[in-house]
Amino acid sequence: MSMATAQAQTVGRENYLNKEYGVVSWLLTTDHKRIALLYLLSITFFFFIGGFFALLIRLELLTPAGDLVQADTYNKLFTMHGMVMVFFFLIPSIPAVLGNFLVPLMIGAKDLAFPRINLLSWYLYIIGGVMMLHCMLTGGVDTGWTFYTPFSTAFTNTKIVEAGLSIFVVGFSSILTGLNFVVTIHRMRAPGMTWSRLPLFIWAHYATSIIQLLGTPVIAITTVLVAVERTLHLGIFDPKLGGDPLLFQHLFWFYSHPAVYIMILPAMGVVSEIIACFSRKRIFGYSFVAFSSIAIAVFGFLVWAHHMFVAGISVYAALVFSLLSYAVAVPSAVKVFNWTATLYKGSIHYDAPMLYAFGFVGLFTMGGLTGLFLAALGIDVHVTDTYFVIAHFHYIMVGGAVMGYLGGMHFWWPKISGKLYPEGWAKLAALIVFIGFNLTFFPQFVLGYLGMPRRYYDYSHMPEFQVLNVLSTAGATILGVGYLLPMVYFLWSMRYGKPASDNPWNAAGLEWKTASPPPTFNFDEEPVVTWEAYNYDELDTGHKQEVHVVG
């Protein structure tokens, strides 16, 4: 399709963006696509708050002496950084933005099953966010994002109750989103959209939703128990009152380890879509990749105590959890091997989304392999609570989840906005993020292995660590630039970008069969799916996909 034809089609056509105008029409919308954009604005706001805290942490560690902030302020900085990034950015990022936008489009539905509950989930997110902002502005929290007891219940004087309740509220946002996705995927698929024809993005979100539904209530109750113990002095976790501090760790990690998969599974779904599209091939071993998502969701609930190897659990329990932690690596490895096999002899296009997908595969693999170090009991004792752990989970959460999120934003941006972003700038941003990320976090593996503990603001007794910390802070600066660039050119493209055709990537999937941007109810008529998933061989040999309609 020529650019002029695309422009003529786009101009004057009613879509979800121009259907109604005014702030009220957005704040009371039940359109899943508009709610996705509300989430996009909200999580971007929290991403920059969390990033600001990270910047201050890195500036403090530039020199061995604690000369930028005091010890208690530093404790608050890394605590608030962790809490904002985990609960207000990473967990909701892909499901709440890309999932909300794409799940109905990809299965041929008009909306999610419960549109009003979807809007409620955004309001709960905002209420939790406002509570967290108030908590930050009136003193913050200094326990680390893990809230470990009995420090959090008996000793600290910071805003534990308020922070815990904000996480409690935002947890319900996550539960409602998961509920909506599960019901929608079960009940609202278009005719012909069988389970074996579902996009892998949908499989990944289905598995994620199961974790959200089963795991999030546990963290919600745990934070309430901490608040109750602080206010009423009941003996739940405090050993002085007859409680058990290890019980808190079991409850906390029972959710917070599966939460890692809430962050990474949707990114894996995004990468499956991108790799199939830009190598112009069907995904190698579709059913293995689909079921590996479910396997990760199941195994994810069985490995929580690998966070507790030095906390005093029995050697036998530690041995079992060590073996299970190795087992959970298998379905992740299945995905990486199958993506690699998909790329083999593919007609690979190096567009910006594909560069992010390559970055994801490399960084996630690195994070996964170093996770095996931490699952080994002997090594874990040495590197627990050092920068090795920090580097490992940032390779998974930032190198993996954020790379996947940015890849997805670039891939579906023409569909979301109806506009094209500048490809050259997008490729440059992907390169800067990859270089900046590795320069930030790879030195931390070395720091951790050499024994630098995390959460120390003053390392003047070990000045030999400064060189690696300077490298890390320099990398964080580059990474920050890489994250700012997409925000700038996405906003630029909304005003000045060229209009996008309905399917600028010539991609398979129902979401590319409707207009860019889509109409309010997604499809003018209900589509009927008669083709298999990822039929790039048919697309590229000229067999046109006919979208049959009901009625």
Side-chain angles (χ1 to χ4, degrees):
M1 185 188 294
S2 73
M3 190 57 69
T5 317
Q7 196 154 4
Q9 280 192 1
T10 308
V11 173
R13 187 166 56 186
E14 187 181 271
N15 59 60
Y16 80 100
L17 290 169
N18 65 17
K19 168 94 170 162
E20 293 174 285
Y21 292 101
V23 175
V24 174
S25 76
W26 281 84
L27 293 179
L28 297 180
T29 184
T30 52
D31 183 346
H32 66 100
K33 300 177 291 298
R34 284 192 162 203
I35 293 168
L37 291 192
L38 291 174
Y39 266 117
L40 175 61
L41 292 172
S42 320
I43 69 159
T44 304
F45 172 73
F46 281 104
F47 177 72
F48 281 104
I49 288 180
F52 175 67
F53 289 137
L55 178 69
L56 292 176
I57 291 167
R58 288 306 335 154
L59 287 174
E60 171 57 76
L61 294 172
L62 199 55
T63 56
D67 45 17
L68 181 67
V69 295
Q70 296 299 312
D72 56 345
T73 309
Y74 185 77
N75 288 348
K76 289 173 182 173
L77 285 177
F78 67 70
T79 301
M80 304 313 286
H81 165 70
M83 282 164 55
V84 168
M85 284 304 204
V86 170
F87 296 111
F88 293 90
F89 175 72
L90 286 165
I91 287 172
S93 59
I94 298 180
V97 178
L98 295 174
N100 248 328
F101 196 95
L102 294 164
V103 165
L105 282 166
M106 282 185 162
I107 63 172
K110 288 188 183 303
D111 207 314
L112 287 170
F114 308 115
R116 287 187 178 86
I117 288 181
N118 194 22
L119 181 62
L120 173 63
S121 75
W122 179 72
Y123 274 107
L124 287 171
Y125 174 87
I126 292 298
I127 292 165
V130 168
M131 290 168 71
M132 183 58 75
L133 286 172
H134 182 263
C135 167
M136 286 180 217
L137 295 171
T138 55
V141 188
D142 65 351
T143 57
W145 76 280
T146 49
F147 286 112
Y148 271 6
T149 58
F151 181 61
S152 61
T153 53
F155 295 103
T156 182
N157 294 319
T158 50
K159 302 270 180 177
I160 296 292
V161 173
E162 193 175 349
L165 291 179
S166 83
I167 289 165
F168 178 79
V169 172
V170 86
F172 278 93
S173 165
S174 188
I175 292 167
L176 294 178
T177 301
L179 173 73
N180 232 333
F181 286 174
V182 167
V183 176
T184 305
I185 292 165
H186 269 279
R187 305 293 302 159
M188 297 179 70
R189 301 193 306 279
M193 178 61 82
T194 60
W195 286 94
S196 62
R197 287 175 174 170
L198 282 180
L200 292 166
F201 181 88
I202 300 292
W203 275 104
H205 276 76
Y206 184 72
T208 304
S209 301
I210 291 168
I211 302 173
Q212 287 174 310
L213 283 170
L214 298 178
T216 315
V218 179
I219 192 76
I221 294 301
T222 308
T223 55
V224 168
L225 288 175
V226 169
V228 165
E229 177 150 319
R230 269 187 80 84
T231 48
L232 303 179
H233 305 292
L234 301 180
I236 306 166
F237 304 126
D238 190 344
K240 265 198 315 195
L241 303 170
D244 182 1
L246 269 190
L247 173 62
F248 173 83
Q249 292 191 32
H250 280 293
L251 290 171
F252 180 86
W253 289 115
F254 184 76
Y255 165 77
S256 294
H257 191 80
V260 174
Y261 302 114
I262 296 177
M263 301 169 209
I264 206 70
L265 269 170
M268 291 170 158
V270 168
V271 169
S272 296
E273 300 296 319
I274 293 173
I275 283 179
C277 178
F278 291 102
S279 56
R280 311 306 300 169
K281 279 178 68 182
R282 291 178 190 263
I283 283 282
F284 180 85
Y286 166 92
S287 54
F288 277 90
V289 181
F291 285 113
S292 69
S293 291
I294 306 298
I296 287 172
V298 173
F299 276 117
F301 280 107
L302 304 175
V303 297
W304 75 89
H306 69 209
H307 296 269
M308 301 168 60
F309 285 161
V310 297
I313 61 173
S314 77
V315 176
Y316 299 107
L319 188 63
V320 169
F321 279 103
S322 176
L323 290 170
L324 287 167
S325 299
Y326 276 91
V328 81
V330 174
S332 301
V334 165
K335 287 183 186 292
V336 173
F337 283 123
N338 284 30
W339 291 329
T340 311
T342 305
L343 291 167
Y344 179 64
K345 291 192 175 177
S347 174
I348 296 172
H349 298 253
Y350 295 97
D351 295 281
M354 189 61 153
L355 296 185
Y356 281 107
F358 281 140
F360 173 94
V361 174
L363 299 177
F364 171 75
T365 303
M366 186 96 155
L369 288 172
T370 50
L372 298 178
F373 285 57
L374 295 166
L377 292 171
I379 298 176
D380 185 78
V381 170
H382 173 63
V383 295
T384 287
D385 278 334
T386 69
Y387 268 84
F388 193 92
V389 176
I390 303 281
H392 157 70
F393 73 68
H394 280 85
Y395 264 84
I396 298 286
M397 293 177 180
V398 186
V402 180
M403 274 284 190
Y405 172 66
L406 288 173
M409 284 300 296
H410 284 78
F411 187 49
W412 284 291
W413 185 255
K415 184 59 63 180
I416 292 169
S417 67
K419 295 295 182 75
L420 298 173
Y421 53 80
E423 181 67 27
W425 281 103
K427 287 179 177 175
L428 178 67
L431 187 66
I432 290 173
V433 168
F434 186 78
I435 292 169
F437 178 86
N438 280 295
L439 190 56
T440 306
F441 293 106
F442 191 82
Q444 294 181 15
F445 279 127
V446 183
L447 279 169
Y449 193 74
L450 293 175
M452 179 168 176
R454 64 178 180 170
R455 299 181 173 174
Y456 276 42
Y457 83 116
D458 181 335
Y459 56 97
S460 47
H461 56 296
M462 34 193 174
E464 66 275 15
F465 292 152
Q466 185 177 4
V467 174
L468 290 164
N469 272 303
V470 169
L471 273 178
S472 193
T473 300
T477 314
I478 296 168
L479 186 60
V481 172
Y483 286 152
L484 276 169
L485 272 176
M487 195 180 82
V488 172
Y489 59 70
F490 280 158
L491 288 172
W492 178 89
S493 74
M494 289 293 286
R495 182 75 184 269
Y496 303 106
K498 293 175 183 170
S501 63
D502 293 348
N503 189 355
W505 309 116
N506 193 23
L510 274 181
E511 77 271 28
W512 302 106
K513 306 264 174 272
T514 186
S516 295
T520 301
F521 293 110
N522 299 342
F523 299 94
D524 295 327
E525 286 118 346
E526 185 179 31
V528 178
V529 180
T530 56
W531 58 89
E532 298 304 311
Y534 306 110
N535 56 336
Y536 284 102
D537 44 353
E538 294 171 18
L539 281 177
D540 291 346
T541 52
H543 293 289
K544 187 165 171 50
Q545 268 181 13
E546 293 297 334
V547 180
H548 299 268
V549 295
V550 174

